[in-house]
Amino acid sequence: MPQQYPFSAIVGCEADHLDPMGLALILSTISPEIGGVLIRGEKGTAKSTAVRALAAVLPPVDVYEGDRFSIDPDDPSAVSLDLPDRDAATRTSRPVRLVELPVGATEDRVLGSLQLESALSKGEVTFEPGLLARAHRGILYVDEVNLLHDHLVDLLLDAAAMGRATIERDGISVEHAARFVLIGTMNPEEGELRPQLLDRFGLTVEVVAPREPGRRVEVVRRRLAFDADPFTFAASFAADEAALRARIGQARARLAGVKLSDNALAAIARVCAGFEVDGLRADIVTARAAVAHAAWAGRDTVTRADIRQAALLALPHRRRRNPFDAPGLDEDLLDRLLGDEEPDPDDTPPEPPTDDPAPEDRPPEDSDSADQPDTDAPQPDTDTSQPDAPPPGPQDQAEAPLDVPPPLPPELGNDQPSGEGTDKIAAAAAPYRPRLFAVRGVGAGSAGRRSRALSTQGRRIGAEPATSGAGSLHLVETLMAAARHQTPHAGGRRRVQLRAEDLRVATREGREANLILFCVDASGSMAARKRMTAVKTAILSLLLDAYRRRDRVGLVTFRRTGADVALPPTGSIDIAAARLEELPAGGRTPLAEGLELAAKVILRERVRDPRTRPLLVVVTDGRANAGADAVARAERAASGIARLGVSTVVIDSEAGPLRLGLARRLASVLGAEHVAVDAVSAQALTGAVDAWRERPTLPAAENGAA
């Protein structure tokens, strides 16, 4: 077995100099009830290295020999399917297990399933435990947890909430304990985490590479030394590993005796309420983390420092209302909510603050402080030498008309000549729930929530030979396939003879995730503030919908004389939203170049992942006017995309009483669905249908009926 990189050798994970990642991992092992750790960070920040090294510094656990469910010998209520007689079992100890859950694991591998060999050869129903059973009383590690399929996320949610795994499938009904420390690592650039699973992680940390040259040099020096001689390098940190293991054991022993006073609980509640976190899980996790931190520090009472550190780890990911909110915590606000005093160790809660200060706390009426401004605060400009009116404030500037040059002829649109004029940047309004746009046909991509696809989840529509090993066994179809080669038997009953080629698995139809590629017109004809605000709001709403449906997104923009890939296809919706926010508008409309670049991106992604089907969303008013034969070249590019068989939606941004209908014509060439920008909202569509239903019914004569 290859030598594991020592935990204490990671820069920032030394016992006396723990960074947030190392501290969060240690606290979660001292008190597993905290709920695990989510580590978010860029590539190459030792996330996986730290997690895999963690198990080696944990004290061993007591188990029974041969028990695949790892029940606690000191827990008389624990039950194992492998131990019909616990008194006859042999007690032993072993290191803590680190079980890795692959993002592509199947449901039966995670939960466990029927052991096919015993069922088919011996006719016995035998349960084969899965990864959750193996991780009991250990660590369950999910690398790239944000890429985990939704059905596996549901399994983890159930196990994390109940502490047990329940299996009801293939004629098996089994329940066993599944309490583990859940640790996930992810790169936010590859997509965000489903909110329900995000809340299940007790602590979260943001990891970045050190910027100090000295720390970076030390990281490289240690890594090179480990690669040159892993065993000698590990031996040099053996004493540090043993000391860390002993300190964790001591903290666990001290944990039950740490006192969490009512005043400390009141401080925790004040902090959680002040940051407006949802639910009460944040209060519970913060309290448990504060107790664990006090035990780690060798204290018997929770202090202000313990609460502050626990809040920094437990609250940031619970403050996010949507995926576009940046994670983090305002430490100045945290300090104000905690106050300067230590929590009183007695059980008398503090008096609630009142809005009216006590008389002795009020400033004297003749105090200079009531009349004098704060000398440290910035003073308003009192220069009155300018005779003109003061400049408009932000609100006045937002309402001021844009300085737009006179419009060009209709055939050219309202675009500014290349290199002329000033670019405009409009902000999006609050997103809304958009209509569902899906790819035509039935695909076979990764699990998601957008387009129809053959998958391992969903309604059963048939069966197929079990060539890939994936999917659940379809017993009826298997027996029907085996019936063709059964031979009659003269005397008595006999078992059905099954061959490997007889096995059939269920074919199911569910939903898949898609690549949503936005091709956005950022020319001068889009630069009007209200128009670009409507466009950005529609795209932002579709981005939020793509996040919920587990899609990947990309962004192509075109303006002036060319097109640009503003965002290569990615799973990070918040990065797409940031690129959209800073998108300027101005110049001519190179529609052909935008469509051609979008086609190149789609073809490149088909080579990378042929199973992921794209949905092209073109946002434009259709006014192609950059270069010679701009309209003809745009139509040729649109015809090329249509020949690729790409499902396309054209969102028409044209507004005003006089409309040319060029975007509708473009949609016809693309074979695309044409949608006005104000009809992207699901509420707008529902309102139109309701208005049609509620229209007054005319008499037959007025109706033209005979």
Side-chain angles (χ1 to χ4, degrees):
M1 182 176 180
Q3 179 65 43
Q4 177 65 51
Y5 195 92
F7 185 86
S8 56
I10 301 172
V11 175
C13 290
E14 301 91 343
D16 296 331
H17 302 88
L18 285 176
D19 61 11
M21 178 179 68
L23 179 61
L25 292 173
I26 293 296
L27 295 182
S28 66
T29 57
I30 293 174
S31 178
E33 292 79 9
I34 288 174
V37 184
L38 174 65
I39 305 174
R40 299 162 44 96
E42 57 193 18
K43 303 177 291 293
T45 50
K47 301 185 299 293
S48 299
T49 301
V51 176
R52 294 190 174 102
L54 179 63
V57 297
L58 299 183
V61 295
D62 291 336
V63 295
Y64 290 113
E65 285 187 358
D67 180 19
R68 296 174 295 174
F69 297 88
S70 301
I71 66 172
D72 186 356
D74 296 326
D75 184 1
S77 63
V79 178
S80 172
L81 299 179
D82 291 342
L83 300 175
D85 184 9
R86 291 181 58 173
D87 295 335
T90 304
R91 179 169 177 159
T92 185
S93 63
R94 61 163 176 78
V96 172
R97 286 176 180 159
L98 175 72
V99 179
E100 296 196 37
L101 173 61
V103 294
T106 58
E107 183 177 341
D108 55 348
R109 184 71 186 95
V110 177
L111 280 179
S113 64
L114 177 70
Q115 196 177 62
L116 284 179
E117 182 180 357
S118 298
L120 297 179
S121 62
K122 303 177 184 178
E124 298 177 354
V125 178
T126 306
F127 176 66
E128 182 69 26
L131 295 178
L132 294 184
R134 182 172 175 79
H136 179 50
R137 301 176 65 205
I139 299 172
L140 183 64
Y141 172 45
V142 188
D143 193 13
E144 306 294 351
V145 65
N146 51 322
L147 305 181
L148 199 63
H149 289 175
D150 281 352
H151 68 286
L152 298 183
V153 170
D154 294 335
L155 296 180
L156 288 183
L157 288 175
D158 291 340
M162 306 300 297
R164 304 190 66 80
T166 303
I167 301 93
E168 298 284 350
R169 55 181 300 170
D170 300 329
I172 297 175
S173 179
V174 173
E175 185 178 13
H176 63 81
R179 290 186 295 273
F180 45 79
V181 177
L182 178 61
I183 300 179
T185 56
M186 59 174 283
N187 184 349
E189 295 179 357
E190 298 174 348
E192 287 297 331
L193 191 62
R194 181 172 164 181
Q196 292 90 333
L197 184 57
L198 179 64
D199 187 59
R200 287 294 178 184
F201 284 100
L203 310 178
T204 184
V205 289
E206 296 281 336
V207 184
V208 295
R211 299 295 184 252
E212 301 86 350
R215 287 173 61 86
R216 298 176 74 96
V217 167
E218 185 61 23
V219 171
V220 174
R221 180 184 292 115
R222 293 185 184 184
R223 187 69 218 189
L224 293 178
F226 175 79
D227 293 340
D229 190 348
F231 292 96
T232 301
F233 181 84
S236 65
F237 283 90
D240 295 333
E241 295 280 279
L244 184 58
R245 188 181 304 109
R247 185 172 174 182
I248 292 175
Q250 294 168 2
R252 286 181 174 180
R254 187 183 294 111
L255 187 69
V258 174
K259 183 177 182 180
L260 182 65
S261 67
D262 287 348
N263 291 283
L265 283 174
I268 292 172
R270 188 167 60 249
V271 168
C272 294
F275 281 107
E276 300 180 350
V277 296
D278 295 331
L280 293 174
R281 182 174 287 117
D283 303 62
I284 297 172
V285 172
T286 304
R288 288 172 174 167
V291 171
H293 189 269
W296 168 252
R299 290 188 287 268
D300 295 328
T301 303
V302 171
T303 65
R304 178 185 183 278
D306 300 322
I307 299 174
R308 187 181 192 279
Q309 188 61 64
L312 289 174
L313 298 174
L315 299 186
H317 61 298
R318 293 186 166 87
R319 297 187 61 246
R320 303 187 75 186
R321 295 296 185 266
N322 62 63
F324 307 138
D325 294 339
L329 207 64
D330 185 348
E331 296 193 31
D332 291 336
L333 175 59
L334 175 60
D335 290 334
R336 291 197 299 271
L337 291 170
L338 284 174
D340 296 329
E341 298 181 0
E342 291 288 346
D344 193 344
D346 65 32
D347 293 334
T348 305
E351 292 294 331
T354 59
D355 295 333
D356 188 22
E360 59 271 19
D361 296 331
R362 297 175 181 166
E365 293 186 1
D366 58 348
S367 172
D368 293 339
S369 62
D371 299 323
Q372 298 297 327
D374 186 357
T375 56
D376 294 333
Q379 300 299 317
D381 187 4
T382 57
D383 184 8
T384 58
S385 61
Q386 297 295 334
D388 298 335
Q395 183 176 1
D396 299 325
Q397 293 175 1
E399 298 300 328
L402 297 175
D403 184 14
V404 182
L408 297 175
E411 64 270 18
L412 295 180
N414 293 330
D415 295 354
Q416 300 166 357
S418 176
E420 298 180 9
T422 303
D423 291 339
K424 306 296 182 183
I425 299 180
Y432 46 73
R433 184 172 66 88
R435 296 167 51 182
L436 172 61
F437 299 105
V439 178
R440 298 185 296 267
V442 180
S446 58
R449 296 184 175 183
R450 182 170 297 275
S451 306
R452 295 170 56 203
L454 300 178
S455 65
T456 57
Q457 299 291 312
R459 64 186 184 92
R460 190 167 62 192
I461 61 174
E464 61 182 1
T467 55
S468 63
S472 58
L473 180 68
H474 197 308
L475 184 58
V476 174
E477 293 289 342
T478 298
L479 294 177
M480 290 178 63
R484 296 192 298 265
H485 58 76
Q486 302 301 312
T487 56
H489 187 63
R493 299 170 55 191
R494 78 173 196 174
R495 295 191 181 95
V496 176
Q497 300 297 314
L498 291 177
R499 302 173 182 173
E501 57 268 21
D502 297 332
L503 297 179
R504 298 290 186 271
V505 294
T507 303
R508 301 179 182 273
E509 182 179 299
R511 295 283 173 176
E512 68 175 358
N514 298 109
L515 167 63
I516 313 299
L517 181 62
F518 293 92
C519 185
V520 181
D521 183 350
S523 62
S525 61
M526 307 282 289
R529 179 172 58 84
K530 291 184 178 180
R531 177 183 292 194
M532 201 59 184
T533 295
V535 166
K536 286 190 174 183
T537 303
I539 299 175
L540 188 67
S541 303
L542 292 171
L543 284 174
L544 187 59
D545 184 63
Y547 163 75
R548 292 167 177 158
R549 299 183 187 276
R550 314 300 293 168
D551 298 315
R552 299 173 68 238
V553 297
L555 179 61
V556 171
T557 62
F558 55 93
R559 60 192 291 262
R560 298 195 183 280
T561 60
D564 179 52
V565 180
L567 179 68
T570 176
S572 181
I573 309 298
D574 51 350
I575 294 180
R579 299 288 172 85
L580 176 69
E581 181 180 1
E582 61 192 22
L583 178 66
R588 293 186 179 273
T589 309
L591 179 57
E593 285 77 359
L595 295 176
E596 290 169 356
L597 183 57
K600 291 179 181 178
V601 173
I602 289 172
L603 290 174
R604 184 167 60 244
E605 290 303 310
R606 279 185 175 178
V607 174
R608 290 180 177 176
D609 187 1
R611 296 172 62 238
T612 300
R613 298 188 296 162
L615 175 64
L616 177 62
V617 180
V618 182
V619 185
T620 183
D621 56 11
R623 299 182 181 185
N625 56 29
D629 300 326
V631 175
R633 289 189 297 108
E635 291 187 354
R636 286 196 298 270
S639 299
I641 292 178
R643 287 192 296 270
L644 293 176
V646 178
S647 296
T648 308
V649 177
V650 174
I651 297 180
D652 189 351
S653 62
E654 194 172 32
L658 180 61
R659 305 191 182 190
L660 303 178
L662 300 177
R664 184 181 294 277
R665 179 180 174 184
L666 175 66
S668 177
V669 178
L670 284 165
E673 181 180 358
H674 174 267
V675 181
V677 68
D678 55 0
V680 174
S681 169
Q683 184 176 3
L685 179 64
T686 304
V689 173
D690 291 342
W692 181 84
R693 288 177 175 174
E694 296 173 2
R695 74 194 192 285
T697 303
L698 299 177
E702 300 180 21
N703 219 328

